[in-house]
Amino acid sequence: MSTTTIDKPSKNKLEAVRRFLGNNVILLVLIGIVALCAGFIPTFRTLTNAINILRQVSALTIIALGQYFVVLSGGIDLSAGSTVSFVGVLVAGLMYFQGWPLLAALIFGLVMGSLIGLVNGVLIVYGEIQPFITTLATMIAIKGVAFLYSGGKPISGMPGGFEFFGRGHIWGIPFPVVLMVLTALVCYVFSEHSVTGRNIFSVGGNESAARLCGIRTKKVKLLVYVISSFLTTVGAIVIASRIMSGQPTVGDYMLFDILTAVILGGTSLSGGVGRVGGVVIGALILGVVANSMVLLRINPYWQWIIRGIILALAVFIDAKTKRRAV
Amino acid sequence: MKSSKEKEKEKDKYKEKEKENSKLLELRNITKTFPGVKALDNVDFDLFAGECHALVGENGAGKSTLVKIIAGEYKQDTGEIYICGNKVNIQDTHHAQELGVAFVPQEFQLIPYLNGVENIFLGRLLRGRFGNVNWRLLKKKAQELLDSLEWKIDLSVSVKNLSVAEMQIIQIARAISMDARVFIFDEPTAMLGEKEIERLFDLMNLLKEKGIGIIYISHRLAEIFPICERVTILRDGKVIGTSDINKISIDEIIKMMLGRSLEESFPERNPSIGQEVLKVEKLSKRGVFKNISFKLREGEVLGIAGLIGAGKTELVCSIFGKLLYDEGEIFIRGKEVAIKSPDTAISYGIALIPDDRRNEGLIMSETVRENISITILEKLKRLLLIDRKAERKKVVEIVDRLDIRCASIEQKVGYLSGGNQQKVVLGKWLIANSDILIFDEPTKGIDVGAKRQFYQIINELSRSGKAIIVISQELEELIGLTHRILVLAKGKVVAELDTEKTDKNEIMKYAVGSFR
Ligand SMILES: Nc1ncnc2c1ncn2[C@@H]1O[C@H](COP(=O)(O)OP(=O)(O)OP(=O)(O)O)[C@@H](O)[C@H]1O
Ligand SMILES: [Mg+2]
């Protein structure tokens, strides 16, 4: 009886192209911005600059991918920025104050960073406190810890080898870029092809329906905060290594960029909708805009205003698309 | 009435004339296309004052789309709409309301965190002469409205805490509190019981006497005969025909809807019943149900009947671990089990198909494929990842079996018609191969053809040894499908009936409590 259920892409090529473009507005925006910058800023269109952008944006991308899973599940992780500061001073301090070897400091940093996510998750899932409130609280508390541990001053003078994570190269490609690509690939496969990944979508889309299908929604929600803080920690190490110091203020304004990248990438703030590729593109847009503003020597205050406008635009797009999706 | 034929004829003539003058609504050549489907194709439709006009058709035929155009939710691609002879260009839902159209949609459009009163008067609060809202007056008005219908609902709780039937009633109350000339009911009875339906029909008769026109959509075809004057049949977005209700039979309607006729509706019951799989002993939940005991065996279909608010949904939700019970025991294959959450219930082989598809059955932001395969992802795992090919295959199989109409399995379920959404909910649990299947109002909103298909499937499942519980407001369905029927009233089991030896009346008598 039914011939309507055959799963074939539309035969009409024009229609297919239209649909592709409709689904990839954000990619077009990126291409448009890159084209514009390349056209008007001669210093922009060099290979060095391109690699530079990628390197600058790599930590942000990795962290935003962590945030992506939280937002996808219907939550939010405001503590990411503070975590960047905290992990930076922790790892730096362990090596400089306590004289720990590099590897031990890194592992301890990763564990402590991930623990923040576990705390967030437990408070949200078992304490039943709103994610916004919970992570706002941990954001503030962690900032305090970072200041206490560092004495409010930047920590530098780490042993050699640490700079590799932010400045090193593999086959001529900056290590952070390699790390970013790998992270994105793993996140993509995890979110689109693993059971847990699919469950995150379901929990964000309709928690009670997901629960009735046997998904352990609490576990899923706990997990996303751990993923977020783990990836934030990885990003934090890259940043600390790039600047070769642990600074208690380095993550102060990062949260804006993280959330902007996630939302710009098409992740719905109410959960259940998003794509890894979108987040990467969102982060790249921010990177390109930041880079070109520097190249154009735009007043830093103006840069802030422009960032604000981009975030507002991203939220606007989020609201618009939600209305369309029933 | 039939005093003399001539008189009748004269009356008819007179009526014809009056009708011409009283065309409330007319649609001409309405066409509407969605990506991938032509939902309406050159549809003509009209409605007279004091008339109830039924709109029937298969799931996805375009009924809801048509009425949503009248209600201002969608805009037609081409075609004209006339209200009382004047051509109108309906801008949005608000405009439609101003033009005198009141709409009870198929899917809930209530604000979950607001209470009944607020939902009933939503969007019309500020029309008073004074700046502030007179809640007392509104509450009184709402209460009067419900009282006049003998519907008892607590108007002060957030509607998210109400049952689907109660939500439906709030939606109906919302519409009838409007001052409208045209009422549209899109499957109002899908969630209601016999008693509520009677009240609704009384109300509709009252509206008709006042010269109001009603468009009535339903998949319970038998109920349109007493209440409607005319019927229009849609198929694949086209009008197949319009007829006076007394000049057409139910079989003719079905034939026009489906393009084929249907035979015997219920297959023969599974005769071989096996061992006990589920035993419920003295299950109680304070204020909801009390001391409920029953057994369920392999291959058996157990029906649960009862009025709205009798505790049927709550009972099965407790067995499934969605709600927690206070006292009592549950045994599965003789072993006592503690079911504290749905995932434990599922691990014991239980499946619950919930009655609220929008809030609990479906994930609207996901595709048909994702919604259906959600229950079997673990089984589809190869190494660490989901086997996409196997997933597609399974999903396409079930989509074909249930005849789910979608542009592709990658379509978001939010874009499917109501009945097709319901089929997706059924599909995801039919695919899961559970041992104990609990269906809470499984056939609400699905068309006659699909119902037969579903009965067939239930039958096959029971023949393959599955134990099945069906809750339904449609007693014919319970009688046709089940071996035994448990009747609940006010949270207690008032009767356990052998289906072969009972009938609709007996069940109703127990359900309303007149046997006690
Ligand atoms: N917003 C939408 N976007 C895309 N397609 C849609 C949308 N709404 C409806 N459709 C499609 O239009 C067709 C008609 O749907 P409609 O909801 O009018 O059916 P219906 O007759 O009300 O069916 P049911 O009995 O299942 O409620 C279906 O194929 C449906 O998938
Ligand atoms: Mg419909």
Side-chain angles (χ1 to χ4, degrees), chain B residues 195-263:
Chain B
K195 270 190 73 179
E196 289 81 12
I197 294 176
E198 253 172 52
R199 289 282 89 76
L200 178 67
F201 285 179
D202 291 348
L203 170 84
M204 284 166 64
N205 280 324
L206 223 72
L207 292 175
K208 286 197 290 190
E209 275 165 29
K210 280 195 218 158
I212 284 165
I214 302 173
I215 303 174
Y216 187 78
I217 298 177
S218 180
H219 285 296
R220 296 185 177 183
L221 297 177
E223 75 187 17
I224 67 176
F225 285 86
I227 191 75
C228 297
E229 275 72 30
R230 285 192 301 161
V231 56
T232 289
I233 297 109
L234 279 181
R235 176 163 18 119
D236 294 334
K238 294 190 198 67
V239 173
I240 299 296
T242 298
S243 163
D244 279 349
I245 201 78
N246 44 26
K247 294 195 184 113
I248 197 166
S249 73
I250 200 159
D251 288 330
E252 282 168 314
I253 293 181
I254 291 175
K255 195 154 179 213
M256 289 167 90
M257 277 172 66
L258 307 181
R260 68 194 151 104
S261 38
L262 286 175
E263 336 71 59

Side-chain angles (χ1 to χ4, degrees), chain A residues 107-273:
Chain A
I107 292 174
F108 191 72
L110 282 172
V111 171
M112 287 304 285
S114 310
L115 223 58
I116 295 172
L118 192 66
V119 171
N120 280 335
V122 167
L123 288 174
I124 290 163
V125 173
Y126 297 100
E128 290 178 17
I129 310 170
Q130 293 282 322
F132 191 92
I133 306 292
T134 307
T135 57
L136 187 68
T138 43
M139 166 179 112
I140 294 164
I142 295 164
K143 194 170 165 62
V145 176
F147 268 93
L148 273 180
Y149 184 73
S150 62
K153 287 186 289 282
I155 304 166
S156 47
M158 275 85 79
F162 184 57
E163 78 282 356
F164 174 76
F165 301 102
R167 299 179 182 175
H169 289 77
I170 292 180
W171 308 304
I173 307 167
F175 175 74
V177 178
V178 175
L179 195 62
M180 165 176 83
V181 172
L182 283 180
T183 310
L185 282 178
V186 171
C187 286
Y188 170 75
V189 173
F190 172 71
S191 78
E192 302 279 325
H193 294 275
S194 82
V195 176
T196 314
R198 285 273 293 272
N199 288 349
I200 297 173
F201 278 92
S202 302
V203 169
N206 183 344
E207 194 176 335
S208 50
R211 202 168 96 88
L212 287 184
C213 291
I215 294 172
R216 302 205 180 128
T217 53
K218 289 188 172 173
K219 268 197 180 160
V220 171
K221 280 163 75 185
L222 198 69
L223 180 71
V224 290
Y225 289 94
V226 177
I227 295 177
S228 170
S229 62
F230 175 78
L231 288 179
T232 304
T233 307
V234 172
I237 290 170
V238 170
I239 291 171
S241 158
R242 187 169 67 222
I243 57 180
M244 267 315 258
S245 83
Q247 298 194 1
T249 54
V250 68
D252 276 4
Y253 299 111
M254 270 201 84
L255 188 63
F256 296 107
D257 284 350
I258 297 168
L259 288 176
T260 309
V262 170
I263 300 163
L264 209 53
T267 320
S268 159
L269 272 177
S270 48
V273 179

Side-chain angles (χ1 to χ4, degrees), chain A residues 1-9 15 19 188-217 271-273 321 323-326, chain B residues 35 58 260 320-322 341-343 346 352 354 358-363 365-366 369-370 373-375 377-378 381 384-386 388 391-392 396 399-400 403-410 414-415 428-429:
Chain A
M1 269 253 331
S2 73
T3 48
T4 44
T5 56
I6 307 162
D7 176 44
K8 262 190 201 144
E15 169 88 351
R19 196 169 301 169
Y188 170 75
V189 173
F190 172 71
S191 78
E192 302 279 325
H193 294 275
S194 82
V195 176
T196 314
R198 285 273 293 272
N199 288 349
I200 297 173
F201 278 92
S202 302
V203 169
N206 183 344
E207 194 176 335
S208 50
R211 202 168 96 88
L212 287 184
C213 291
I215 294 172
R216 302 205 180 128
T217 53
V273 179
T321 46
R323 271 250 294 278
R324 244 184 329 133
V326 181
Chain B
E58 278 181 296
R260 68 194 151 104
F320 191 64
K322 190 189 154 218
S341 65
D343 61 272
I346 289 166
L352 172 73
R358 199 167 185 84
N359 295 313
E360 300 190 323
L362 294 172
I363 298 165
S365 53
E366 297 197 337
R369 170 178 59 79
E370 289 163 328
S373 65
I374 188 170
T375 51
L377 288 182
E378 284 295 338
K381 215 155 70 174
L384 283 171
L385 304 178
I386 297 163
R388 278 277 175 106
E391 182 190 4
R392 272 160 196 284
V396 167
V399 163
D400 283 344
D403 194 15
I404 299 174
R405 304 287 172 89
C406 48
S408 93
I409 60 168
E410 299 303 329
Y415 296 132
K428 80 171 169 190
W429 282 110

